């Protein structure tokens, strides 16, 4: 996610967070020193999301291999509010621009499917939403 590869911490984050060095924990805004100037970072990827927040994820498969991407969100079900396929890989800047212009895809807020796993086709985009109510 966001060019960060999750690596497992030396201790469980939920029960022994104090045993995980802060220098191992990262997110898209806070990358550890060993990841500076690297295209892809490997670290314990933790995103801070406020309890009760409405979260929208735009999941993009840029076709790194011949398979689709499977996305699963532990402890949640999410709404699939939209999807789109591209003929070739779209850059993240193109995806952002299309989204900001309202041209990425049409979002379904009336009757979206509810899932805990979704398949993102090669070169595809899937938009999911959930409420962060499970700390």
């Amino acid at each position: 996610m966001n060019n960060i590869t999750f690596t497992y911490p030396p201790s469980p984050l939920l029960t022994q967070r104090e045993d995980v060095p802060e220098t191992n924990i990262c997110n898209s805004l806070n990358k550890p020193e060993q990841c500076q100037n690297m295209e892809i970072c490997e670290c314990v990827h933790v995103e801070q999301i406020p309890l009760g927040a409405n979260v929208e994820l735009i999941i993009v498969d840029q076709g790194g291999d011949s398979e689709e991407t499977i996305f699963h969100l532990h402890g949640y079900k999410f709404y699939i509010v939209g999807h789109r396929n591209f003929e070739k890989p779209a850059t993240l800047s193109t995806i952002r621009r299309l989204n900001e212009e309202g041209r990425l895809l049409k979002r379904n807020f009336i009757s979206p499917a509810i899932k805990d796993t979704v398949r993102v086709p090669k070169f595809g985009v899937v938009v999911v939403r959930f409420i962060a109510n499970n700390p």
Side-chain angles (χ1 to χ4, degrees):
M1 184 182 294
N2 294 333
N3 290 335
I4 298 174
T5 298
F6 178 81
T7 57
Y8 285 96
S11 299
L13 282 173
L14 291 178
T15 58
Q16 295 172 265
R17 172 91 183 218
E18 66 279 355
D19 293 338
V20 180
E22 286 297 318
T23 56
N24 291 4
I25 297 174
C26 69
N27 59 41
S28 50
L29 300 175
N30 178 29
K31 292 185 180 176
E33 190 173 317
Q34 72 264 20
C35 290
Q36 299 305 320
N37 302 318
M38 294 181 69
E39 185 175 334
I40 296 177
C41 177
E42 293 186 20
C43 53
V44 181
H45 189 176
V46 177
E47 293 291 338
Q48 300 293 328
I49 299 173
L51 185 62
N54 289 312
V55 178
E56 180 176 279
L57 299 176
I58 300 175
I59 307 164
V60 181
D61 182 296
Q62 292 183 297
D65 57 30
S66 62
E67 301 297 319
E68 64 200 5
T69 298
I70 307 293
F71 177 81
H72 173 71
L73 190 58
H74 291 274
Y76 284 95
K77 287 191 172 24
F78 49 77
Y79 296 97
I80 301 172
V81 297
H83 61 88
R84 178 176 178 179
N85 291 340
F86 290 92
E87 294 292 320
K88 60 183 181 176
T91 65
L92 293 181
S93 61
T94 298
I95 298 292
R96 282 187 189 102
R97 181 178 49 77
L98 290 172
N99 190 52
E100 289 167 2
E101 295 171 354
R103 298 186 307 124
L104 178 60
L105 50 81
K106 181 170 174 22
R107 286 167 168 79
N108 173 9
F109 298 123
I110 305 301
S111 59
I114 300 173
K115 302 279 187 174
D116 69 354
T117 303
V118 64
R119 296 167 61 170
V120 183
K122 186 173 182 175
F123 309 142
V125 175
V126 174
V127 178
V128 303
R129 284 188 171 199
F130 65 95
I131 298 174
N133 58 5
N134 181 359

CSV table of all heavy atoms in Angstrom, one decimal, residues 102-131:
chain,number,residue,atom,x,y,z
A,102,GLY,N,-13.4,14.0,-10.8
A,102,GLY,CA,-14.7,13.3,-10.8
A,102,GLY,C,-14.8,12.4,-11.9
A,102,GLY,O,-16.0,12.0,-12.3
A,103,ARG,N,-13.7,12.0,-12.6
A,103,ARG,CA,-13.8,11.2,-13.8
A,103,ARG,C,-13.2,9.8,-13.6
A,103,ARG,O,-13.2,9.0,-14.6
A,103,ARG,CB,-13.1,11.9,-15.0
A,103,ARG,CG,-13.7,13.2,-15.4
A,103,ARG,CD,-13.1,13.9,-16.6
A,103,ARG,NE,-11.6,14.0,-16.5
A,103,ARG,CZ,-10.8,13.5,-17.5
A,103,ARG,NH1,-11.3,12.8,-18.5
A,103,ARG,NH2,-9.5,13.6,-17.4
A,104,LEU,N,-12.8,9.4,-12.4
A,104,LEU,CA,-12.2,8.1,-12.2
A,104,LEU,C,-13.3,7.0,-12.4
A,104,LEU,O,-13.1,6.1,-13.2
A,104,LEU,CB,-11.6,8.0,-10.8
A,104,LEU,CG,-11.0,6.6,-10.5
A,104,LEU,CD1,-9.9,6.3,-11.5
A,104,LEU,CD2,-10.5,6.6,-9.1
A,105,LEU,N,-14.4,7.2,-11.7
A,105,LEU,CA,-15.5,6.2,-11.8
A,105,LEU,C,-16.7,6.8,-11.2
A,105,LEU,O,-16.6,7.7,-10.4
A,105,LEU,CB,-15.1,4.9,-11.2
A,105,LEU,CG,-14.5,4.9,-9.8
A,105,LEU,CD1,-15.6,5.0,-8.7
A,105,LEU,CD2,-13.7,3.6,-9.5
A,106,LYS,N,-17.9,6.2,-11.5
A,106,LYS,CA,-19.1,6.6,-10.8
A,106,LYS,C,-19.3,5.8,-9.5
A,106,LYS,O,-19.2,4.6,-9.6
A,106,LYS,CB,-20.3,6.3,-11.8
A,106,LYS,CG,-21.6,6.8,-11.2
A,106,LYS,CD,-22.7,6.7,-12.3
A,106,LYS,CE,-24.1,7.0,-11.8
A,106,LYS,NZ,-24.3,7.7,-10.6
A,107,ARG,N,-19.4,6.5,-8.4
A,107,ARG,CA,-19.6,5.8,-7.1
A,107,ARG,C,-21.1,5.5,-6.9
A,107,ARG,O,-21.9,6.3,-7.1
A,107,ARG,CB,-19.0,6.7,-6.0
A,107,ARG,CG,-17.5,6.7,-6.0
A,107,ARG,CD,-17.0,7.8,-5.1
A,107,ARG,NE,-15.6,7.7,-4.8
A,107,ARG,CZ,-14.6,8.1,-5.7
A,107,ARG,NH1,-14.9,8.6,-6.9
A,107,ARG,NH2,-13.4,8.0,-5.3
A,108,ASN,N,-21.3,4.3,-6.4
A,108,ASN,CA,-22.7,3.8,-6.0
A,108,ASN,C,-22.9,4.0,-4.5
A,108,ASN,O,-22.4,3.1,-3.8
A,108,ASN,CB,-22.8,2.4,-6.5
A,108,ASN,CG,-24.2,1.8,-6.0
A,108,ASN,OD1,-25.0,2.5,-5.5
A,108,ASN,ND2,-24.3,0.5,-6.2
A,109,PHE,N,-23.6,5.0,-4.1
A,109,PHE,CA,-23.9,5.2,-2.7
A,109,PHE,C,-25.3,4.7,-2.3
A,109,PHE,O,-25.6,4.7,-1.2
A,109,PHE,CB,-23.7,6.6,-2.3
A,109,PHE,CG,-22.4,7.2,-2.5
A,109,PHE,CD1,-22.1,8.3,-3.3
A,109,PHE,CD2,-21.3,6.6,-1.9
A,109,PHE,CE1,-20.9,8.8,-3.5
A,109,PHE,CE2,-20.0,7.1,-2.1
A,109,PHE,CZ,-19.8,8.2,-2.9
A,110,ILE,N,-26.0,4.2,-3.3
A,110,ILE,CA,-27.4,3.8,-3.0
A,110,ILE,C,-27.5,2.4,-2.6
A,110,ILE,O,-28.1,2.0,-1.6
A,110,ILE,CB,-28.3,4.1,-4.3
A,110,ILE,CG1,-28.2,5.5,-4.8
A,110,ILE,CG2,-29.7,3.6,-4.0
A,110,ILE,CD1,-28.7,6.5,-3.7
A,111,SER,N,-26.9,1.5,-3.4
A,111,SER,CA,-27.0,0.1,-3.0
A,111,SER,C,-25.6,-0.7,-3.3
A,111,SER,O,-25.6,-1.6,-4.1
A,111,SER,CB,-28.1,-0.6,-3.9
A,111,SER,OG,-27.8,-0.4,-5.2
A,112,PRO,N,-24.6,-0.2,-2.6
A,112,PRO,CA,-23.3,-0.9,-2.9
A,112,PRO,C,-23.2,-2.3,-2.2
A,112,PRO,O,-23.9,-2.5,-1.2
A,112,PRO,CB,-22.3,0.1,-2.2
A,112,PRO,CG,-23.1,0.7,-1.1
A,112,PRO,CD,-24.5,0.8,-1.7
A,113,ALA,N,-22.4,-3.1,-2.9
A,113,ALA,CA,-22.2,-4.5,-2.3
A,113,ALA,C,-21.4,-4.4,-1.0
A,113,ALA,O,-20.6,-3.5,-0.9
A,113,ALA,CB,-21.5,-5.3,-3.3
A,114,ILE,N,-21.7,-5.3,-0.1
A,114,ILE,CA,-21.0,-5.3,1.2
A,114,ILE,C,-20.1,-6.6,1.2
A,114,ILE,O,-20.7,-7.7,1.0
A,114,ILE,CB,-21.9,-5.3,2.4
A,114,ILE,CG1,-22.8,-4.0,2.4
A,114,ILE,CG2,-21.1,-5.4,3.7
A,114,ILE,CD1,-23.8,-4.0,3.5
A,115,LYS,N,-18.8,-6.5,1.4
A,115,LYS,CA,-17.9,-7.6,1.4
A,115,LYS,C,-16.8,-7.4,2.4
A,115,LYS,O,-16.7,-6.4,3.0
A,115,LYS,CB,-17.2,-7.7,0.0
A,115,LYS,CG,-18.1,-7.8,-1.2
A,115,LYS,CD,-18.5,-9.2,-1.4
A,115,LYS,CE,-19.3,-9.4,-2.6
A,115,LYS,NZ,-19.6,-10.8,-2.9
A,116,ASP,N,-16.0,-8.4,2.6
A,116,ASP,CA,-14.8,-8.3,3.4
A,116,ASP,C,-13.6,-8.6,2.6
A,116,ASP,O,-12.4,-8.5,3.0
A,116,ASP,CB,-14.8,-9.1,4.7
A,116,ASP,CG,-14.7,-10.6,4.5
A,116,ASP,OD1,-14.8,-11.0,3.3
A,116,ASP,OD2,-14.6,-11.4,5.4
A,117,THR,N,-13.8,-9.0,1.3
A,117,THR,CA,-12.7,-9.3,0.4
A,117,THR,C,-13.2,-8.9,-1.0
A,117,THR,O,-14.4,-9.0,-1.3
A,117,THR,CB,-12.5,-10.9,0.4
A,117,THR,OG1,-12.1,-11.3,1.7
A,117,THR,CG2,-11.3,-11.2,-0.6
A,118,VAL,N,-12.3,-8.3,-1.7
A,118,VAL,CA,-12.6,-7.9,-3.1
A,118,VAL,C,-11.5,-8.2,-4.0
A,118,VAL,O,-10.3,-8.2,-3.6
A,118,VAL,CB,-12.9,-6.4,-3.1
A,118,VAL,CG1,-11.7,-5.5,-2.8
A,118,VAL,CG2,-13.5,-6.0,-4.5
A,119,ARG,N,-11.8,-8.6,-5.3
A,119,ARG,CA,-10.8,-8.8,-6.3
A,119,ARG,C,-10.6,-7.6,-7.1
A,119,ARG,O,-11.6,-7.0,-7.6
A,119,ARG,CB,-11.3,-10.0,-7.2
A,119,ARG,CG,-11.4,-11.3,-6.5
A,119,ARG,CD,-12.2,-12.3,-7.3
A,119,ARG,NE,-11.5,-12.6,-8.5
A,119,ARG,CZ,-11.8,-13.6,-9.3
A,119,ARG,NH1,-12.8,-14.4,-9.1
A,119,ARG,NH2,-11.1,-13.8,-10.4
A,120,VAL,N,-9.4,-7.1,-7.2
A,120,VAL,CA,-9.0,-6.0,-8.1
A,120,VAL,C,-8.4,-6.5,-9.3
A,120,VAL,O,-7.3,-7.1,-9.3
A,120,VAL,CB,-8.1,-5.0,-7.3
A,120,VAL,CG1,-7.8,-3.8,-8.2
A,120,VAL,CG2,-8.6,-4.6,-6.0
A,121,PRO,N,-9.1,-6.4,-10.5
A,121,PRO,CA,-8.5,-6.9,-11.7
A,121,PRO,C,-7.2,-6.2,-12.1
A,121,PRO,O,-6.9,-5.1,-11.7
A,121,PRO,CB,-9.6,-6.7,-12.7
A,121,PRO,CG,-10.5,-5.7,-12.2
A,121,PRO,CD,-10.3,-5.7,-10.7
A,122,LYS,N,-6.4,-7.0,-12.9
A,122,LYS,CA,-5.1,-6.4,-13.4
A,122,LYS,C,-5.5,-5.1,-14.1
A,122,LYS,O,-6.4,-5.0,-14.9
A,122,LYS,CB,-4.5,-7.4,-14.3
A,122,LYS,CG,-3.1,-6.9,-14.8
A,122,LYS,CD,-2.4,-8.0,-15.6
A,122,LYS,CE,-1.0,-7.5,-16.0
A,122,LYS,NZ,-0.3,-8.6,-16.7
A,123,PHE,N,-4.7,-4.0,-13.8
A,123,PHE,CA,-4.9,-2.7,-14.3
A,123,PHE,C,-6.2,-2.1,-13.8
A,123,PHE,O,-6.7,-1.1,-14.4
A,123,PHE,CB,-4.8,-2.6,-15.8
A,123,PHE,CG,-3.6,-3.2,-16.4
A,123,PHE,CD1,-3.7,-3.9,-17.6
A,123,PHE,CD2,-2.3,-3.2,-15.8
A,123,PHE,CE1,-2.6,-4.5,-18.2
A,123,PHE,CE2,-1.2,-3.8,-16.3
A,123,PHE,CZ,-1.3,-4.4,-17.5
A,124,GLY,N,-6.9,-2.6,-12.8
A,124,GLY,CA,-8.2,-2.1,-12.3
A,124,GLY,C,-8.1,-1.3,-11.1
A,124,GLY,O,-7.0,-1.2,-10.5
A,125,VAL,N,-9.2,-0.6,-10.8
A,125,VAL,CA,-9.3,0.2,-9.6
A,125,VAL,C,-10.6,-0.2,-9.0
A,125,VAL,O,-11.6,-0.4,-9.6
A,125,VAL,CB,-9.4,1.7,-10.0
A,125,VAL,CG1,-9.7,2.6,-8.8
A,125,VAL,CG2,-8.1,2.2,-10.7
A,126,VAL,N,-10.6,-0.3,-7.6
A,126,VAL,CA,-11.8,-0.6,-6.8
A,126,VAL,C,-11.8,0.4,-5.7
A,126,VAL,O,-10.8,0.7,-5.1
A,126,VAL,CB,-11.8,-2.0,-6.3
A,126,VAL,CG1,-13.0,-2.2,-5.3
A,126,VAL,CG2,-11.8,-3.0,-7.4
A,127,VAL,N,-13.0,1.0,-5.5
A,127,VAL,CA,-13.1,2.0,-4.4
A,127,VAL,C,-14.0,1.3,-3.3
A,127,VAL,O,-15.1,0.9,-3.6
A,127,VAL,CB,-13.7,3.3,-4.9
A,127,VAL,CG1,-13.9,4.3,-3.7
A,127,VAL,CG2,-12.8,3.9,-5.9
A,128,VAL,N,-13.5,1.3,-2.1
A,128,VAL,CA,-14.2,0.7,-1.0
A,128,VAL,C,-14.4,1.8,0.1
A,128,VAL,O,-13.5,2.7,0.2
A,128,VAL,CB,-13.6,-0.6,-0.4
A,128,VAL,CG1,-13.4,-1.6,-1.5
A,128,VAL,CG2,-12.3,-0.3,0.3
A,129,ARG,N,-15.4,1.7,0.9
A,129,ARG,CA,-15.7,2.6,2.1
A,129,ARG,C,-16.1,1.8,3.3
A,129,ARG,O,-16.8,0.7,3.2
A,129,ARG,CB,-16.8,3.6,1.7
A,129,ARG,CG,-16.3,4.7,0.8
A,129,ARG,CD,-17.4,5.7,0.7
A,129,ARG,NE,-16.9,6.9,0.0
A,129,ARG,CZ,-17.4,8.1,0.0
A,129,ARG,NH1,-18.5,8.3,0.8
A,129,ARG,NH2,-16.9,9.1,-0.6
A,130,PHE,N,-15.6,2.2,4.4
A,130,PHE,CA,-16.1,1.6,5.7
A,130,PHE,C,-16.0,2.7,6.8
A,130,PHE,O,-15.4,3.7,6.6
A,130,PHE,CB,-15.2,0.4,6.1
A,130,PHE,CG,-13.8,0.7,6.3
A,130,PHE,CD1,-13.4,0.9,7.6
A,130,PHE,CD2,-12.9,0.8,5.3
A,130,PHE,CE1,-12.0,1.1,7.9
A,130,PHE,CE2,-11.5,1.0,5.6
A,130,PHE,CZ,-11.1,1.2,6.9
A,131,ILE,N,-16.7,2.4,7.9
A,131,ILE,CA,-16.6,3.2,9.1
A,131,ILE,C,-15.6,2.6,10.1
A,131,ILE,O,-15.8,1.4,10.4
A,131,ILE,CB,-18.0,3.4,9.7
A,131,ILE,CG1,-18.9,4.1,8.7
A,131,ILE,CG2,-17.8,4.2,11.0
A,131,ILE,CD1,-20.3,4.3,9.2
